[in-house]
Amino acid sequence: MNVERHKTDILILGTGGAGLFAALHAHKANPDLDITIVSKGLLGKCGCTRMVQGGYNVALNPGDSVERHFMDTIEGGKWLPHQALAWTLVSTAIERIHELENEIGCFFDRNPDGTLHGKAFAGQTFDRTVHKGDLTGIEIINRLMEQVWARPAIRHLEEHRAVALIPATDGALAGALLIDVRNGEFKFVAAQAVLLATGGGPTMYRYHTPSGDKSMDGLAMALRFGLPLRDMEMVQFHPTGLLAGPDTRMTGTVLEEGLRGSGGHLLNGAMHRFMSDYDPKLERATRDVVSRAIYAEMRAGRTTKNGGVYIKMSHLGPERVAKEFKGMVDRCRDCGFDLAGGLVEVVPTAHYFMGGVVCEVDTATERPGLFVAGEDASGMHGANRLGGNGVANSTVFGGIAGDVMPHWIAREKPGHRDPDANILDAEMARALHPFGQKYGDLNALREKLLNAMWDDVGVVRDRAGLERGLAAIDAIATELLATGVADAGRRFNLTWHDWLNLRSLTEISRVIALAALKRENSRGAHFRSDFPEPGDLSASWFTMAQQSQHGIEIGERPVEFTHVKPGETLIRDQIAAE
Ligand SMILES: Cc1cc2nc3c(=O)[nH]c(=O)nc-3n(C[C@H](O)[C@H](O)[C@H](O)COP(=O)(O)OP(=O)(O)OC[C@H]3O[C@@H](n4cnc5c(N)ncnc54)[C@H](O)[C@@H]3O)c2cc1C
């Protein structure tokens, strides 16, 4: 089969915060290395880093500390995080935010004394979320993109989709197979090191926030390459997705955490402020708690016209709301809602994926030469990601990957390997599968998946629902294989790419449902109504999913409490002083 062949030293799949930081750091570490970045969309215009609204968690204030940020992360993650990864995240966030300001050129909002302003985010004991208004991601990604453009040595392959990691005949990583979306042709890029940074993205739920280019491709590729995936049951629902009616893509898009953090109220259809019925922290409880409370109101039928609940900000003063949350107010106005002075309908929406590829603190995976960073990686957040820890995660670990890969190449001297021709051919045939099938209604199939995941593998789960969900996913997978894009050409064939998206989503949906069945307790984002208790914290374990010749196997591994044990804290001195 025809495939164009290329070579690079470092191949970076994904151009969000993780991918771009990795490229800049790798180039700085060794400007002689050839670096190629690949994205499914356009540089700076795709992925979720651009969509970051609320901001970036970092302990800068003298009243705050890395230890406090760490404890919030561990407790928010319900004692499931990999503690060394969480510690690296919170401690390196400090140097990364200075780098973003002083080297990358970002402007963030400041206090009158010139220090960086930290806003309140739910689930945190200190207001540490650094931001640029309420559209922080545009500032971060635009400045990163300019820095990458200013370094012509970093090559871009835009509108290129990675479809498979390809080994050499000896099993070692050889590179990745891509499709050039513009002409539909295959490219094989041989690389000494590859970074997986395609950003997860749980877009398989009826309501979801991530960008449309994200369809779990990285995790589907990693699974097929034999890598273990951790915490796959942990899908984060953001409580306040906009509910703008059934026929608009704006439904599901997120209204940022700072709205609740700054004092917004949630009201049900009967205008009752219901959070007091669920949690003493009211609207400032963590995302999982608030999402479940909204879901319970929905199940009880106490809903708004479109089936959600209301967020109300007007009691804070419409002028203040319009000033502090300009982006959110504009977005709501575009959809016919008055956020500053009225009520806006909201619904929980799938937002972030805590699960992902198992990695070390230096971003290495168990396959030499393959690194992972950003939302494709796992372990930092455990059962729940704190709002503001997502973009910190992708920039911190993207930078680390960029530091590490050049040194790894210098030390290991892997060179470039030829791909295993049989596997390369099989992967191309796999990607071309829908061309041999009868044209079918892909959108109807996608709707089936979105509904099955929302109804049975969503905010509240139980065994019967998960088994029903799995049966539905299997039926969708079978139907997908029989659904084609007929004899349409490959050039910019977006139906083909929708098909490929749906296959990745279906494969990973299955792993989510299996991992959710395995966890017979309730932690953070994973709630089983048939097992509502969290289980013994001191005997915490996480799920590990891996593809074997028998199918997907889900195991469990104990959490190592390397820094702090349940019942202990690293901030006792601070608590005593308060
Ligand atoms: C609406 C919204 C608001 C958010 N707000 C916040 C916030 O306030 N604070 C916070 O901390 N986090 C927030 N997050 C989460 C945050 O955006 C992510 O955690 C983070 O940006 C992920 O970075 P990343 O580099 O891993 O992935 P992304 O930035 O999503 O980048 C993924 C990249 O991979 C590419 N890609 C995907 N598949 C392929 C493929 N097959 N081949 C090639 N390329 C591929 C994409 O095109 C893209 O370039 C928000 C997310 C959303 C959706």
Side-chain angles (χ1 to χ4, degrees), residues 276-547:
S276 56
D277 304 336
Y278 297 91
D279 194 281
K281 293 197 190 101
L282 305 174
E283 286 84 358
R284 283 192 73 169
T286 46
R287 291 177 174 180
D288 53 321
V289 173
V290 182
S291 291
R292 273 199 301 282
I294 297 176
Y295 191 75
E297 292 297 305
M298 290 166 70
R299 291 267 281 253
R302 294 186 284 269
T303 62
T304 58
K305 165 167 72 82
N306 285 309
V309 299
Y310 293 116
I311 188 161
K312 174 170 159 290
M313 303 298 294
S314 55
H315 55 282
L316 302 176
E319 277 177 18
R320 178 184 154 197
V321 176
K323 183 160 171 269
E324 285 182 20
F325 298 101
K326 183 175 179 313
M328 298 299 102
V329 169
D330 288 350
R331 169 171 297 183
C332 289
R333 188 187 307 115
D334 289 346
C335 298
F337 292 110
D338 176 11
L339 178 66
L343 297 170
V344 178
E345 287 181 79
V346 291
V347 69
T349 179
H351 185 50
Y352 187 90
F353 198 55
M354 277 77 74
V357 178
V358 172
C359 65
E360 304 292 329
V361 285
D362 67 354
T363 72
T365 68
E366 69 169 35
R367 295 294 289 267
L370 182 65
F371 298 79
V372 65
E375 210 175 315
D376 275 348
S378 64
M380 301 74 184
H381 314 291
N384 208 0
R385 172 185 69 99
L386 295 181
N389 269 1
V391 65
N393 173 48
S394 54
T395 55
V396 161
F397 288 99
I400 291 174
D403 296 335
V404 164
M405 289 187 289
H407 291 290
W408 184 85
I409 291 173
R411 195 178 65 236
E412 302 294 327
K413 302 189 176 42
H416 290 92
R417 292 177 161 83
D418 285 333
D420 182 320
N422 291 333
I423 295 181
L424 191 61
D425 275 348
E427 286 291 353
M428 287 191 281
R430 188 176 191 274
L432 292 174
H433 175 90
F435 287 101
Q437 308 301 318
K438 211 167 122 243
Y439 189 77
D441 187 347
L442 214 49
N443 199 44
L445 211 46
R446 181 170 168 272
E447 294 283 328
K448 274 190 197 172
L449 181 68
L450 300 188
N451 289 332
M453 291 301 283
W454 173 261
D455 291 336
D456 288 325
V457 197
V459 180
V460 175
R461 302 158 172 182
D462 63 21
R463 172 164 288 278
L466 290 168
E467 285 173 350
R468 203 168 41 238
L470 267 172
I473 293 164
D474 286 346
I476 291 163
T478 306
E479 213 179 318
L480 181 64
L481 287 179
T483 303
V485 291
D487 55 358
R490 281 155 58 176
R491 189 177 294 269
F492 238 118
N493 184 339
L494 296 184
T495 312
W496 179 25
H497 289 279
D498 282 344
W499 191 97
L500 293 169
N501 288 347
L502 197 48
R503 181 159 66 186
S504 296
L505 288 172
T506 308
E507 285 167 359
I508 297 304
S509 294
R510 195 155 185 278
V511 185
I512 294 173
L514 288 170
L517 265 177
K518 174 81 180 169
R519 180 170 289 287
E520 293 189 332
N521 61 33
S522 293
R523 293 276 180 109
H526 170 78
F527 186 82
R528 290 276 302 256
S529 56
D530 46 352
F531 296 98
E533 298 304 323
D536 180 3
L537 293 186
S538 64
S540 293
W541 51 270
F542 59 91
T543 58
M544 188 99 112
Q546 201 155 14
Q547 176 95 53

Side-chain angles (χ1 to χ4, degrees), residues 15 17-18 40 46 48-49 54-55 162 213-214 217 352 375 385 388 390-391:
T15 61
K40 213 168 165 181
C46 55
C48 290
T49 304
D213 52 330
K214 299 221 300 190
D217 296 342
Y352 187 90
E375 210 175 315
R385 172 185 69 99
V391 65

